[in-house]
Amino acid sequence: TSNHTVSFGAVAGYTTPADQAGNVTNGVTTTVTGTYAVANYTVSTSAGSGGSISPTSAVVSPGGTASFTVTPSTGYYITGISGCGGSWNGVRTTTTYTTGAVNASCTVSASFAIYTYTITASAGAGGTISPSGAVSVNYGSSRAFTITPNTGYHVADVLVDGVSAGAVTSYTFTSVVSNHTIAASFAINTYTVSTSVNPVLGGSVTPASRSNIPYNTTTTFTVTAAAHYHTVSVTGCGTGSLVGTIYTTAPITSNCTVTANFAVNDGTLSVNV
């Protein structure tokens, strides 16, 4: 009598030969035995852009559970975790996710989104800022703004988060990690109008000058000839007009000079200095 053990592998069934099942043939007894093992399941993971899941997979026995740590990358937050019968607790930062009872291979998935911030940009009368309004910026990104005065205006100041950045025409927020504000203000250009008299003793223009004349507005002067002189012409600061003794300039767009020209009356001796 001799005993031999022969493996037929992990088969689902086995049929003995007709003359061997429980029989002794030529001193050999045939015995069929089976060994059984519990089938485990694999829990895989899938992490979207902006984060990770640890461990990346787990082997679980039937009815068991597995836990995973879900971690968003810097500047990102968790938007959802699902799969394998678990329930996300709604925590957006690093959190633990536990599956339900596992009875088949399955996958735990996590999704992430980048934080965004708002830069509120505004401009007062006399100019524009671009872009304007509520401007969305991703975490860590930069955003540039252009400040443009209207014709005849200039930038008076730019406030960034309430602090003056000066009369700049552009500003860039770098590495944004919070909300911000930027507000531009403008002022109208002003000019000085000087006067000139020819000849110097031929008369006068009053006042002698005017300052702080707003862009594109007119101003007036009184032109008076001296004794024995008369006014010949008044020019300067665009095509102005002389009505009686009042000279009105054209709209002022730059510093300029009003010149009054006088001439001596006929038969009267003039002395020029």
Side-chain angles (χ1 to χ4, degrees), residues 4-271:
H4 298 280
T5 301
V6 179
S7 173
F8 290 94
V11 296
Y14 175 77
T15 302
T16 63
D19 62 343
Q20 291 184 6
N23 297 326
V24 177
T25 303
N26 296 325
V28 178
T29 300
T30 301
T31 302
V32 179
T33 59
T35 301
Y36 301 90
V38 176
N40 293 323
Y41 302 111
T42 299
V43 179
S44 304
T45 63
S46 175
S49 176
S52 62
I53 302 177
S54 179
T56 55
S57 65
V59 176
V60 183
S61 59
T65 62
S67 294
F68 298 87
T69 300
V70 180
T71 305
S73 301
T74 301
Y76 286 76
Y77 60 93
I78 301 169
T79 57
I81 314 171
S82 61
C84 301
S87 178
W88 178 41
N89 59 13
V91 174
R92 290 188 165 196
T93 55
T94 298
T95 189
T96 298
Y97 179 83
T98 302
T99 67
V102 175
N103 290 300
S105 293
C106 56
T107 300
V108 170
S109 298
S111 57
F112 308 89
I114 195 168
Y115 281 108
T116 59
Y117 302 97
T118 299
I119 299 177
T120 303
S122 61
T128 60
I129 187 168
S130 179
S132 63
V135 180
S136 181
V137 183
N138 287 342
Y139 173 92
S141 296
S142 298
R143 197 65 164 100
F145 291 82
T146 300
I147 299 99
T148 306
N150 294 341
T151 301
Y153 286 77
H154 60 276
V155 178
D157 197 9
V158 175
L159 297 180
V160 176
D161 296 332
V163 178
S164 174
V168 297
T169 55
S170 65
Y171 188 88
T172 300
F173 292 90
T174 59
S175 300
V176 174
V177 295
S178 62
N179 296 328
H180 293 281
T181 62
I182 180 169
S185 59
F186 305 89
I188 196 166
N189 295 341
T190 60
Y191 304 99
T192 296
V193 179
S194 304
T195 63
S196 174
V197 174
N198 182 37
V200 293
L201 296 181
S204 63
V205 178
T206 54
S209 67
R210 289 192 186 275
S211 58
N212 299 319
I213 306 300
Y215 170 83
N216 212 36
T217 61
T218 63
T219 189
T220 61
F221 293 86
T222 300
V223 180
T224 305
H228 311 301
Y229 283 82
H230 62 277
T231 303
V232 176
S233 64
V234 183
T235 59
C237 299
T239 305
S241 62
L242 179 63
V243 178
T245 60
I246 304 300
Y247 179 79
T248 302
T249 67
I252 304 298
T253 59
S254 63
N255 295 330
C256 56
T257 300
V258 170
T259 300
N261 297 287
F262 302 97
V264 64
N265 296 337
D266 290 343
T268 302
L269 178 65
S270 63
V271 178

